[in-house]
């Protein structure tokens, strides 16, 4: 029998919010999913999740109610905020979506309500930014009339193994009774268990350093790949050899984009600078990872050389990572821009990406797979599963003396036809 002790509202129905809302609707009687996008809500009502996180059959079976009308939130007692936390063009935290969520929720808060933030922020945002905003919008007092919690999201887009229910969930709240409410709500859907952090700020910090650590490890691999390339050594061969040691950390070089790893470190460095400390290592890692698009393009143009006045270069993949349709903060456009600046004619194909969004966000026109022929070079930028078969078509799409740039070593040099040049990070 479903629980009816809380009326739950999930604010934001993207990669994070939708899986949370669907899971909770399976265990709780009253769950509503809210998004400001009428287009998103309508698609979900029709039973389709364009992010691919929830299967259409599961969406059709859910009792979750979808809405873009904020007034329908008024009866809720437990709010979960899962809106994006991007950065601006100066790499500073953009709390606009979180503040907008507070402004939406405020007038709909009733005494006794709990508001839990899952959006990744720097330590102190929930207490020092969100609480005053909610108080101003609601006319209620935090800690007396409504109560705050924090439970950082850990969903990995496109990952079918590490899901909401299989990842330990961190929970934190401003007092013991509110923490008990979080324990009851999240404990009903997270089989992996809960970790109760001693404070909201600890939970905020734990999340932001998770992706910072990963960003730095990838930055190290990227810098090593540049060094080893100049030494004429295959990075993949070196990593395979080094990986035989029991305590070697298995990270790989690559493009680092998206709405988490490429963004969250800037939230931590912002907090650091506010506290009077200028971070060095974290920002150095960001500079290295942000430069990799230009590095890949330079290597591609160098391999093409003087084979054509206007090299014809195909790029496979535009999304920020493999097997997802998300274009947010993708670093593949950096590769494309640098190739075009070098005089190349670039053709981009990505069966996962939305063509209209690609044009709107980056001015990039996606091509059908059939358009990528007679190429001087093929750049496999994002290793979608759909591209695995391209290893058998290289002789058809790339000129005999052309180049294959296998960014993540997805194809491997052994499958490249003789006479073609091969390079990977």
């Amino acid at each position: 029998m479903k629980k009816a002790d809380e009326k739950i509202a999930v604010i934001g129905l993207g990669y994070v919010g939708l899986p949370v809302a669907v899971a909770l609707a399976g265990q709780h009687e009253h769950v509503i999913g809210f998004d400001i996008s009428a287009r998103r809500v309508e698609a979900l009502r029709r039973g389709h999740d364009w992010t691919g996180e929830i299967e259409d059959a599961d969406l059709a079976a859910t009792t979750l109610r979808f809405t873009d009308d904020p007034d329908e939130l008024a009866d809720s007692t437990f709010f979960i905020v899962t809106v994006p936390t991007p950065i601006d063009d100066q790499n500073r935290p953009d709390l606009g979506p979180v503040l907008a969520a507070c402004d939406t929720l405020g007038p709909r808060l009733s005494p006794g309500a709990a508001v839990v933030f899952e959006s990744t922020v720097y330590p102190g945002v929930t207490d020092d930014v969100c609480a005053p905003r909610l108080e101003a919008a609601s006319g209620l007092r935090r800690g007396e009339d409504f109560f705050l919690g924090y439970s950082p999201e850990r969903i990995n887009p496109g990952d079918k193994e590490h899901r909401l229910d299989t990842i330990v969930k961190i929970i934190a709240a401003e007092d013991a009774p509110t923490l008990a409410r979080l324990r009851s709500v999240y404990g009903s859907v997270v089989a992996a268990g809960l970790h109760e952090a001693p404070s909201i700020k600890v939970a905020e910090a734990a999340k932001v350093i998770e992706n910072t650590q990963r960003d730095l490890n990838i930055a190290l691999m990227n810098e090593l790949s540049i060094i080893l390339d100049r030494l004429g050594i295959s990075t993949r061969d070196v990593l395979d050899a080094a990986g035989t040691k029991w305590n070697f950390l298995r990270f790989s070089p690559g493009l680092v984009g998206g709405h988490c790893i490429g963004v969250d470190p800037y939230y931590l460095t912002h907090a650091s600078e506010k506290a009077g400390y200028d971070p060095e290592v974290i920002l150095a890692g960001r500079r290295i990872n942000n430069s990799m698009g230009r590095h890949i393009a330079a290597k591609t143009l160098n391999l093409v050389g003087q084979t054509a006045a206007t090299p014809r270069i195909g790029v496979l993949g535009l999304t920020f990572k493999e097997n997802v349709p998300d274009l947010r903060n993708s670093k593949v456009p950096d590769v494309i821009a640098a190739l075009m600046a070098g005089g190349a004619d670039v053709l981009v194909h990505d069966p996962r990406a939305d063509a209209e969004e690609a044009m709107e966000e980056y001015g990039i026109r996606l091509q059908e797979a059939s358009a990528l022929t007679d190429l001087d070079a093929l750049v496999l930028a994002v290793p979608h599963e759909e591209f695995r078969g391209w290893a058998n078509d290289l002789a058809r799409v790339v000129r005999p003396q052309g180049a294959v740039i296998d960014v993540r070593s997805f194809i491997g040099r052994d499958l490249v036809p003789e006479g073609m040049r091969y390079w990977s990070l």
Side-chain angles (χ1 to χ4, degrees):
M1 188 171 182
K2 291 187 177 182
K3 301 175 69 172
D5 55 333
E6 299 277 12
K7 294 182 178 180
I8 303 170
V10 178
I11 315 304
L13 298 174
Y15 281 99
V16 176
L18 183 62
V20 169
V22 170
L24 289 172
Q27 300 297 323
H28 295 260
E29 189 70 32
H30 305 288
V31 184
I32 186 171
F34 171 84
D35 200 282
I36 60 172
S37 169
R39 177 171 169 260
R40 175 65 168 162
V41 169
E42 181 57 31
L44 293 173
R45 284 174 175 166
R46 292 198 308 268
H48 178 63
D49 170 28
W50 63 55
T51 72
E53 291 300 301
I54 301 296
E55 298 293 335
D56 288 358
D58 294 330
L59 203 53
T62 184
T63 59
L64 177 63
R65 184 159 56 95
F66 301 105
T67 185
D68 60 345
D69 180 359
D71 288 336
E72 292 192 38
L73 303 173
D75 291 335
S76 301
T77 62
F78 194 98
F79 297 88
I80 299 175
V81 180
T82 64
V83 298
T85 45
I87 52 176
D88 63 18
D89 56 5
Q90 299 298 313
N91 293 328
R92 295 172 301 203
D94 176 6
L95 296 176
V98 170
L99 294 175
C102 292
D103 292 340
T104 297
L105 295 183
R108 283 93 189 172
L109 287 181
S110 56
V115 182
V116 181
F117 291 88
E118 289 207 11
S119 306
T120 303
V121 293
Y122 56 84
V125 167
T126 302
D127 289 323
D128 304 334
V129 178
C130 296
R133 192 71 167 230
L134 284 169
E135 287 182 328
S138 66
L140 302 176
R141 290 168 295 182
R142 173 260 180 99
E144 295 182 26
D145 301 317
F146 69 90
F147 305 90
L148 294 180
Y150 186 78
S151 181
E153 60 89 3
R154 281 176 159 175
I155 289 174
N156 184 26
D159 189 336
K160 301 303 182 183
E161 177 182 356
H162 301 99
R163 313 299 295 164
L164 172 67
D165 63 319
T166 65
I167 306 171
V168 173
K169 194 92 166 76
I170 298 172
I171 59 172
E174 63 177 305
D175 57 29
T178 308
L179 184 62
R181 293 173 72 178
L182 268 71
R183 188 184 303 124
S184 175
V185 169
Y186 285 112
S188 68
V189 295
V190 181
L194 307 176
H195 175 86
E196 299 181 5
S199 71
I200 288 174
K201 287 184 179 179
V202 167
E204 290 170 325
K207 171 55 184 177
V208 80
I209 72 164
E210 289 174 14
N211 284 335
T212 299
Q213 181 188 69
R214 184 165 179 78
D215 188 48
L216 284 171
N217 276 299
I218 298 173
L220 174 60
M221 294 299 105
N222 278 332
E223 187 164 57
L224 288 175
S225 74
I226 294 171
I227 295 169
L228 294 172
D229 183 60
R230 295 195 177 195
L231 295 176
I233 306 171
S234 164
T235 303
R236 180 56 49 195
D237 290 346
V238 172
L239 294 180
D240 286 345
T244 59
K245 191 180 182 198
W246 76 92
N247 61 351
F248 184 80
L249 301 179
R250 291 181 174 273
F251 287 88
S252 299
L255 294 168
V256 182
H259 41 88
C260 291
I261 299 177
V263 171
D264 295 352
Y266 290 120
Y267 276 72
L268 183 57
T269 58
H270 175 79
S272 174
E273 289 164 352
K274 284 182 62 178
Y277 177 75
D278 291 329
E280 298 182 42
V281 175
I282 298 171
L283 290 177
R286 284 278 74 235
R287 286 192 293 271
I288 291 170
N289 285 342
N290 280 339
S291 72
M292 294 308 291
R294 297 187 299 275
H295 173 65
I296 292 167
K299 288 297 300 185
T300 302
L301 292 171
N302 182 260
L303 285 171
V304 171
Q306 304 300 316
T307 57
T310 303
R312 182 177 168 87
I313 299 176
V315 174
L316 293 180
L318 184 62
T319 61
F320 87 89
K321 67 175 289 188
E322 64 271 20
N323 302 325
V324 301
D326 199 341
L327 292 171
R328 286 179 294 174
N329 196 35
S330 172
K331 295 304 175 184
V332 181
D334 293 353
V335 180
I336 295 167
L339 289 173
M340 294 176 67
D345 178 20
V346 183
L347 299 94
V348 184
H349 171 64
D350 191 325
R352 300 256 180 171
D354 181 84
E356 184 177 334
E357 185 182 357
M359 177 57 70
E360 183 178 322
E361 288 292 320
Y362 301 110
I364 294 173
R365 186 180 304 280
L366 294 180
Q367 307 287 337
E368 296 294 330
S370 57
L372 274 66
T373 58
D374 199 29
L375 302 175
D376 294 293
L378 178 68
V379 179
L380 181 52
V382 185
H384 293 319
E385 279 302 312
E386 291 91 335
F387 298 150
R388 195 168 292 279
W390 279 68
N392 301 319
D393 292 329
L394 292 176
R396 179 180 61 81
V397 300
V398 182
R399 292 171 182 167
Q401 302 302 314
V404 175
I405 292 77
D406 187 8
V407 173
R408 295 268 301 281
S409 301
F410 184 63
I411 292 176
R413 74 186 84 174
D414 294 342
L415 297 180
V416 176
E418 187 176 351
M420 287 186 192
R421 285 156 291 176
Y422 175 87
W423 181 83
S424 67
L425 280 178

